Amino acid sequence: MTYKEISKEFLDKANVTIGDVIKVTKEDISYEGILLDRSEDAKDAYIVIKLDSGYNVGVNIESATIELIEKGDQPKIGFEGDTIEKDPNKQNISIISTGGTVSSIIDYKTGAVHPKFTAEDLLRANPELLDLANYDVKALYNILSENMKPEYWVKAAESIADDISSGADGIVIAHGTDTMHYTSAALSFMIKTPVPIVVTGAQRSSDRPSTDAFLNIYNSCGAALSDIAEVTVLMHNSLDDGDCALHKGTKVRKMHTSRRDTFRSIDSEPIALLRDGKVKSVNLPYVKRGENELELNTDIESKVALIKSFPGISSDIIDYHIDKGYKGLLIEGTGLGHVPDYMVDSLQRANDEGIPVVMTSQCLYGTINMNVYSTGRLLQDAGVISGVDMTPECAYVKLAWALGQSDSLDEVKKIIQTNIAGELNESSSLKYFLN
Amino acid sequence: MTYKEISKEFLDKANVTIGDVIKVTKEDISYEGILLDRSEDAKDAYIVIKLDSGYNVGVNIESATIELIEKGDQPKIGFEGDTIEKDPNKQNISIISTGGTVSSIIDYKTGAVHPKFTAEDLLRANPELLDLANYDVKALYNILSENMKPEYWVKAAESIADDISSGADGIVIAHGTDTMHYTSAALSFMIKTPVPIVVTGAQRSSDRPSTDAFLNIYNSCGAALSDIAEVTVLMHNSLDDGDCALHKGTKVRKMHTSRRDTFRSIDSEPIALLRDGKVKSVNLPYVKRGENELELNTDIESKVALIKSFPGISSDIIDYHIDKGYKGLLIEGTGLGHVPDYMVDSLQRANDEGIPVVMTSQCLYGTINMNVYSTGRLLQDAGVISGVDMTPECAYVKLAWALGQSDSLDEVKKIIQTNIAGELNESSSLKYFLN
């Protein structure tokens, strides 16, 4: 049992161990459910209970009473260091935890949420996962995803490639949702994969009653065992705990600050829907398991800026980035791909100095077209490259990756406008608006 | 007749004048419809025909033949300088043209679209408008909206207030769509209005067969005659020429580069739907005609920057703006309102130097909540102000306007978090996702 100090004392007094069905009463609220294990340093005054609904709740034991309802089975999972006993009849999934809400618990002192759970903790709290596969678990880092940096993408890609080389049949990455789509785009460009690579997260932390972490992880493991050998993002497809959507890693975006179904495919639809750990329906063609050989290309230029245009923006911001030694600029322009025409000279200067400038749209949906309006023509004359129908976020990542492949302006332009990982739609995408 | 040189010669030869039903044949394509007038300097080789479908088409007359099908009525509209004869039984709408696609024609030399039509040209091409009301028309400027600047918002607001003072019963602003939502937000904060102020535009220029300009202008005039005395945006509500949606000027955003129904209410729904120039249904409460007195407050600080966060962003960008004398910073953060934690020191510096920093989300939908995660707590400690559920674009405009009202950090914070023009939703907005 990993409960320590206050919480251990509290549980010992009632002769309660992990797996027992208990009832904890606090003032006029009672929680009944199975006592779950907690992470190694659970020295505070909280215990975690799995309710009948399947949700986990953390209860402060101060001034609480506890009652043993039924002795439970001792946990069957043998945790030994970083590995769990393997069933030779099952496939192997590698779960890599990077932090984020899916791996977070509430800091009860401040009420805020910290990344804390490791991938191993996730299995410990959700033993149902073990019915699906064998797992290798690894906590690569433990950060909230707003703190992600390009060099972490590299480390994650290398770690994934190692696991695939070591025989993993599928990969699940537990990740914060804030920048999950940036990471999924980066992994899409960096790895050609023979097996599924599924990035997942949660909008409510694992120790909250309303957590979506378990269903997302469970269905991600289902996706990792499927035939869809692409880098994908799996999250809830609606507000309720029904289907999960499996999005192309390059065509997805976080679109709501708090809804569980916040991730949406942009100018596309999800590759597939999953339910109960199985692919339920497939919408798009995909790269099949084993179709690609493993290939890793993590070269990336981190001196790239994303600049959003707005009425009143100064062209100085372009010169600033040139003067600071930036190697590429991603513009989030207006409409079909515009910035104020007084910025053209500075953009021309970037081009003259060999710095690629790629245009995307703050509309998010639809395709860049710099042929329609006079401003677009001017921008093209100044060397601005169309990001076609890429989201600004995906195009930013692709530009950084393209600059890792070549420092030739022409070569970078060619990479930007060549489909590498499903990021460019060939046909009209008008129909996938706000779906 | 305003056709000149080549086109005049071509029409004269066939004894055709404006209003006649004609058939123009070019190679194996024929166009049959009513010959429309064109703008004053139409010296090129194009004529404009109104097809039976109601759409206008520009035809190059080189190697074309023309046939007179039926002599039409001469145009009944008496254009005299900037005014048109008024019917004392009708209400008065002021149409202010600022440029944009709605006022644009194709430059047939380059194939690109230029702002060119004035509001008067719009009436000339769409005489059906005259059934609805009397019009005062004025071309305030003639620019594509990516070139809009805060000082143009001021000029537009002043012009609108003049027209209202002079007795206009409603205002229609013809505007480019790229930054229409920035302008509608600015007018929302700058003007308390006793009459409707409707900003409208088009996704296809007025002389293209597929133009949405006419229906948008026509329904905007309907909205200008309605009881909804707010600053609104009116555009198509779907791909077809069915209903138009009337959006709150502070809650709307261009969401698709090319669809006609690109403008969507964010965390809200349209106030009303219009059809055939009439309000068809109302969704939200609104400020009624005459409820407010006219009040104009155009003070605005133009030294405000909009900065979008991304993985790998440098905190130098914050220091750069402080050093450059910016008076306010609008952050488009990730998720619930985050930036990488290494940026906190620079944001603290902004706060220490009296520069308000307002947080919004690149998710676009949903509400900022900096209480949930540790990063949000750090940002709040550094003085970062929540933009609540405002879009980044609306919040940027509001911050610039708030800094025009006061240079006190506390006062600006109070203005940002006080609802002024429907920009802050009091209740949960979860249900208005991607509608």
Side-chain angles (χ1 to χ4, degrees):
Chain A
M1 184 150 79
T2 53
Y3 286 99
K4 301 224 171 90
E5 300 180 11
I6 311 172
S7 53
K8 184 171 190 309
E9 217 171 289
F10 176 79
L11 295 167
D12 283 352
K13 254 192 222 160
N15 195 27
V16 162
T17 56
I18 289 162
D20 291 351
V21 179
I22 56 169
K23 185 176 182 176
V24 179
T25 305
K26 246 193 93 134
E27 285 156 21
D28 47 358
I29 309 170
S30 289
Y31 301 93
E32 193 171 317
I34 299 165
L35 179 68
L36 291 180
D37 202 356
R38 281 200 54 189
S39 59
E40 296 303 324
D41 55 351
K43 297 178 193 165
D44 57 27
Y46 285 80
I47 60 173
V48 180
I49 303 170
K50 190 177 219 52
L51 305 177
D52 269 356
S53 64
Y55 287 129
N56 303 343
V57 61
V59 183
N60 183 337
I61 54 170
E62 272 176 57
S63 70
T65 58
I66 183 166
E67 193 184 331
L68 175 65
I69 304 290
E70 196 189 331
K71 279 311 274 184
D73 295 333
Q74 287 306 301
K76 287 173 234 120
I77 319 161
F79 283 93
E80 203 156 315
D82 275 323
T83 53
I84 299 167
E85 270 176 45
K86 290 190 178 173
D87 175 345
N89 298 316
K90 284 184 181 148
Q91 287 188 285
N92 299 304
I93 293 177
S94 164
I95 298 187
I96 300 174
S97 163
T98 67
T101 308
V102 67
S103 329
S104 285
I105 55 167
I106 301 170
D107 179 336
Y108 292 97
K109 288 179 205 77
T110 66
V113 176
H114 282 297
K116 202 144 191 186
F117 269 33
T118 63
E120 210 179 3
D121 294 321
L122 279 173
L123 287 180
R124 206 187 288 258
N126 302 293
E128 295 90 332
L129 287 171
L130 291 166
D131 297 338
L132 288 181
N134 295 315
Y135 298 88
D136 284 301
V137 291
K138 124 170 86 168
L140 196 59
Y141 18 80
N142 208 0
I143 56 171
L144 291 165
S145 78
E146 59 268 29
N147 297 321
M148 269 279 157
K149 290 177 187 177
E151 61 249 44
Y152 297 160
W153 301 335
V154 172
K155 200 175 154 194
E158 288 169 349
S159 178
I160 291 167
D162 280 353
D163 288 354
I164 296 175
S165 299
S166 307
D169 297 300
I171 309 281
V172 173
I173 321 283
H175 197 286
T177 57
D178 267 33
T179 69
M180 193 152 79
H181 44 305
Y182 292 91
T183 298
S184 66
L187 298 177
S188 299
F189 297 122
M190 289 178 174
I191 312 173
K192 269 199 176 167
T193 177
V195 304
I197 299 174
V198 187
V199 188
T200 194
Q203 289 282 83
R204 308 280 179 282
S205 62
S206 301
D207 59 349
R208 288 198 178 205
S210 60
T211 184
D212 47 339
F214 173 66
L215 260 177
N216 289 341
I217 291 274
Y218 191 77
N219 281 302
S220 292
C221 289
L225 296 173
S226 79
D227 198 36
I228 304 170
E230 300 199 14
V231 177
T232 52
V233 164
L234 184 137
M235 290 286 286
H236 271 49
N237 193 45
S238 62
L239 280 183
D240 64 25
D241 288 326
D243 298 339
C244 289
L246 189 71
H247 304 275
K248 217 172 250 290
T250 51
K251 299 301 283 182
V252 68
R253 195 174 185 286
K254 187 173 186 180
M255 290 297 288
H256 197 285
T257 59
S258 62
R259 280 173 65 118
R260 294 152 174 236
D261 56 349
T262 172
F263 279 82
R264 312 310 293 184
S265 286
I266 305 293
D267 291 338
S268 180
E269 57 188 326
I271 300 177
L273 297 181
L274 279 96
R275 199 180 184 113
D276 301 331
K278 291 196 181 69
V279 173
K280 182 188 155 190
S281 61
V282 173
N283 298 317
L284 300 177
Y286 55 83
V287 181
K288 291 192 172 48
R289 186 180 281 275
E291 213 172 296
N292 280 330
E293 296 276 314
L294 177 64
E295 216 175 281
L296 185 67
N297 185 340
T298 58
D299 293 334
I300 191 161
E301 169 60 59
S302 61
K303 206 107 173 121
V304 176
L306 192 168
I307 299 165
K308 176 164 170 168
S309 184
F310 56 91
I313 188 174
S314 165
S315 61
D316 291 353
I317 196 71
I318 304 297
D319 291 299
Y320 163 78
H321 284 99
I322 299 171
D323 295 340
K324 273 280 199 174
Y326 277 75
K327 304 296 187 207
L329 301 179
L330 191 289
I331 309 286
E332 190 176 313
T334 58
L336 288 163
H338 303 130
V339 294
D341 53 15
Y342 57 73
M343 295 181 80
V344 167
D345 286 350
S346 297
L347 295 170
Q348 179 71 59
R349 183 188 154 207
N351 188 68
D352 293 346
E353 299 192 19
I355 300 165
V357 178
V358 176
M359 180 62 73
T360 59
S361 177
Q362 52 198 257
C363 293
L364 303 179
Y365 290 91
T367 298
I368 292 300
N369 188 343
M370 293 186 286
N371 294 315
V372 180
Y373 292 95
S374 42
T375 307
R377 302 282 177 124
L378 290 172
L379 292 172
Q380 285 190 94
D381 290 345
V384 173
I385 302 162
S386 166
V388 197
D389 68 334
M390 283 185 281
T391 63
E393 296 81 12
C394 173
Y396 161 71
V397 172
K398 190 176 184 185
L399 177 57
W401 183 80
L403 283 161
Q405 313 307 304
S406 172
D407 50 15
S408 142
L409 201 56
D410 284 345
E411 191 56 33
V412 167
K413 179 173 179 173
K414 208 172 123 189
I415 295 171
I416 290 295
Q417 299 191 327
T418 302
N419 183 46
I420 292 180
E423 73 279 15
L424 300 180
N425 270 340
E426 281 163 44
S427 57
S428 159
S429 49
L430 271 185
K431 65 176 172 167
Y432 298 124
F433 186 40
L434 305 174
N435 58 343
Chain B
M1 185 151 76
T2 52
Y3 285 99
K4 300 223 172 94
E5 299 180 12
I6 311 171
S7 53
K8 182 168 192 308
E9 216 172 291
F10 177 78
L11 295 168
D12 283 351
K13 252 189 225 165
N15 194 27
V16 162
T17 54
I18 289 162
D20 291 351
V21 180
I22 56 170
K23 184 176 183 177
V24 178
T25 307
K26 247 193 94 139
E27 285 158 19
D28 47 358
I29 310 169
S30 289
Y31 301 92
E32 194 173 316
I34 299 166
L35 179 69
L36 291 181
D37 202 357
R38 281 197 56 188
S39 60
E40 296 304 324
D41 56 352
K43 297 178 193 166
D44 57 27
Y46 284 80
I47 59 173
V48 180
I49 303 170
K50 188 176 220 59
L51 305 177
D52 269 356
S53 63
Y55 287 131
N56 303 344
V57 61
V59 183
N60 183 335
I61 54 171
E62 272 177 56
S63 69
T65 58
I66 183 167
E67 195 184 328
L68 174 65
I69 304 291
E70 195 188 332
K71 278 312 273 185
D73 296 333
Q74 289 305 303
K76 290 173 231 119
I77 318 159
F79 284 93
E80 203 155 319
D82 275 322
T83 53
I84 299 167
E85 271 176 43
K86 290 189 178 173
D87 176 344
N89 297 316
K90 285 183 181 150
Q91 287 188 285
N92 299 306
I93 292 177
S94 164
I95 299 188
I96 299 173
S97 162
T98 67
T101 308
V102 69
S103 329
S104 285
I105 56 168
I106 301 171
D107 179 337
Y108 291 96
K109 288 178 205 80
T110 65
V113 176
H114 282 299
K116 203 144 189 184
F117 270 33
T118 62
E120 210 179 4
D121 294 320
L122 280 173
L123 287 180
R124 204 186 290 259
N126 302 294
E128 295 90 331
L129 286 172
L130 291 166
D131 297 340
L132 288 182
N134 296 315
Y135 297 88
D136 284 301
V137 291
K138 117 172 91 170
L140 196 59
Y141 18 81
N142 207 0
I143 57 170
L144 291 165
S145 79
E146 59 268 30
N147 297 321
M148 270 280 158
K149 291 177 186 175
E151 62 250 44
Y152 297 160
W153 301 335
V154 173
K155 200 175 153 193
E158 287 168 349
S159 179
I160 292 166
D162 279 353
D163 289 355
I164 296 174
S165 299
S166 307
D169 296 301
I171 310 280
V172 173
I173 322 283
H175 196 285
T177 56
D178 267 34
T179 68
M180 193 152 76
H181 45 304
Y182 291 91
T183 298
S184 66
L187 298 178
S188 299
F189 297 121
M190 288 177 176
I191 311 173
K192 268 200 178 165
T193 177
V195 305
I197 299 174
V198 187
V199 189
T200 192
Q203 288 282 82
R204 308 280 179 283
S205 62
S206 301
D207 59 349
R208 289 200 175 203
S210 60
T211 184
D212 48 339
F214 172 65
L215 261 177
N216 289 342
I217 291 275
Y218 190 77
N219 281 302
S220 293
C221 289
L225 296 173
S226 80
D227 198 37
I228 304 169
E230 301 200 12
V231 177
T232 53
V233 163
L234 184 137
M235 290 286 285
H236 271 49
N237 193 43
S238 62
L239 280 183
D240 65 24
D241 288 324
D243 297 340
C244 288
L246 189 71
H247 305 274
K248 218 172 249 289
T250 49
K251 299 302 283 183
V252 67
R253 195 175 184 285
K254 187 173 185 180
M255 290 297 288
H256 197 285
T257 59
S258 62
R259 279 174 66 120
R260 294 152 174 236
D261 57 348
T262 171
F263 279 82
R264 311 309 294 182
S265 287
I266 305 293
D267 292 338
S268 180
E269 57 188 327
I271 300 178
L273 297 180
L274 280 97
R275 200 180 183 113
D276 300 331
K278 291 197 178 67
V279 172
K280 183 187 155 190
S281 61
V282 172
N283 299 316
L284 299 178
Y286 56 82
V287 180
K288 292 192 172 45
R289 186 179 281 276
E291 211 172 297
N292 280 330
E293 296 277 315
L294 176 65
E295 216 175 282
L296 185 67
N297 184 340
T298 59
D299 293 334
I300 191 161
E301 169 60 59
S302 60
K303 207 111 173 116
V304 176
L306 192 166
I307 300 164
K308 176 164 169 166
S309 183
F310 56 92
I313 189 174
S314 166
S315 61
D316 291 352
I317 196 71
I318 303 297
D319 291 298
Y320 164 78
H321 283 100
I322 299 171
D323 295 340
K324 273 279 199 175
Y326 277 76
K327 304 296 186 206
L329 300 178
L330 191 287
I331 309 285
E332 190 176 314
T334 58
L336 288 164
H338 303 129
V339 294
D341 54 14
Y342 58 73
M343 294 181 80
V344 168
D345 286 350
S346 296
L347 295 171
Q348 178 72 59
R349 186 190 150 204
N351 187 66
D352 293 346
E353 299 192 18
I355 300 165
V357 178
V358 175
M359 180 62 74
T360 58
S361 177
Q362 53 197 255
C363 294
L364 303 180
Y365 290 90
T367 298
I368 294 299
N369 188 342
M370 294 187 286
N371 293 315
V372 180
Y373 293 96
S374 42
T375 307
R377 302 281 177 124
L378 290 171
L379 292 172
Q380 286 189 93
D381 290 346
V384 174
I385 302 163
S386 166
V388 197
D389 68 336
M390 282 186 281
T391 63
E393 296 82 11
C394 174
Y396 161 70
V397 172
K398 190 177 183 185
L399 177 56
W401 183 81
L403 282 161
Q405 314 306 304
S406 172
D407 51 13
S408 142
L409 201 55
D410 285 344
E411 191 56 33
V412 167
K413 181 172 179 172
K414 208 173 122 191
I415 294 171
I416 290 295
Q417 300 191 327
T418 302
N419 183 47
I420 291 179
E423 73 279 14
L424 300 180
N425 270 340
E426 278 163 46
S427 57
S428 159
S429 49
L430 271 186
K431 65 175 175 168
Y432 298 124
F433 187 39
L434 305 174
N435 59 342

